[in-house]
Amino acid sequence: MTLIARIEDELSAAMRERNAARRDALRLILSNLRSAEKELQRELNDQEELQVLQRERKKRLEAADAFRSGGREEQAEKEEAELDVLEEFMPEPIAEDDLEAIIDDVIAEVGATSMRDIGRVMAVVMPQVAGRADGSAVSQLVREKLA
């Protein structure tokens, strides 16, 4: 079952349960996925679906922070509720121990010895952890290991 089909099923269930907040969040996610399909003029593959979800996740996090810093707690909570629904469809986050093991393996594989090699390491690590780890957290770990 494709991600869009799963979300459509969840949307139908939310509508039956009269869960307006969940329904609205699912509609927004579905709209963004369909918009990406229209833009590419074809169905999305798994990697592209994940990219759309990651982009939407980042938007929700940034919006919640902005609302909170602006003193609009209710709006921030709404964004976080949408984020919770969105994260149901994302892959399980990778454990930090597993992430460190992947980084160590890649550093050994590419023969990285200094900070100048960070680009080569990141280029190999990121496809392996796509969607399961935050890029800035991965970058920070790589920097620590190469320092």
Side-chain angles (χ1 to χ4, degrees), residues 53-66:
L53 293 180
Q54 287 174 317
R55 189 170 49 239
E56 290 306 308
R57 179 181 181 274
K58 184 176 180 181
K59 284 181 188 176
R60 299 293 163 277
L61 288 170
E62 290 173 355
D65 287 343

Side-chain angles (χ1 to χ4, degrees), residues 7 16 22-23 35 38 47-48 56 82 116:
I7 293 174
R16 279 193 301 275
R22 183 170 174 78
R23 178 200 65 206
S35 175
K38 276 186 180 174
Q47 187 65 28
E48 292 164 337
E56 290 306 308
E82 287 180 5
R116 287 183 291 154

Side-chain angles (χ1 to χ4, degrees), residues 3-51:
L3 178 63
I4 290 178
R6 277 183 43 215
I7 293 174
E8 287 173 339
D9 288 347
E10 291 290 324
L11 177 59
S12 296
M15 290 169 75
R16 279 193 301 275
E17 296 165 4
R18 300 193 191 294
N19 185 342
R22 183 170 174 78
R23 178 200 65 206
D24 293 345
L26 289 168
R27 280 184 176 162
L28 189 61
I29 296 165
L30 197 55
S31 170
N32 287 309
L33 287 166
R34 287 196 173 131
S35 175
E37 279 186 337
K38 276 186 180 174
E39 195 174 298
L40 295 173
Q41 298 181 349
R42 61 176 171 78
E43 287 188 17
L44 300 175
N45 63 36
D46 292 343
Q47 187 65 28
E48 292 164 337
E49 289 173 342
L50 183 58
Q51 288 173 345

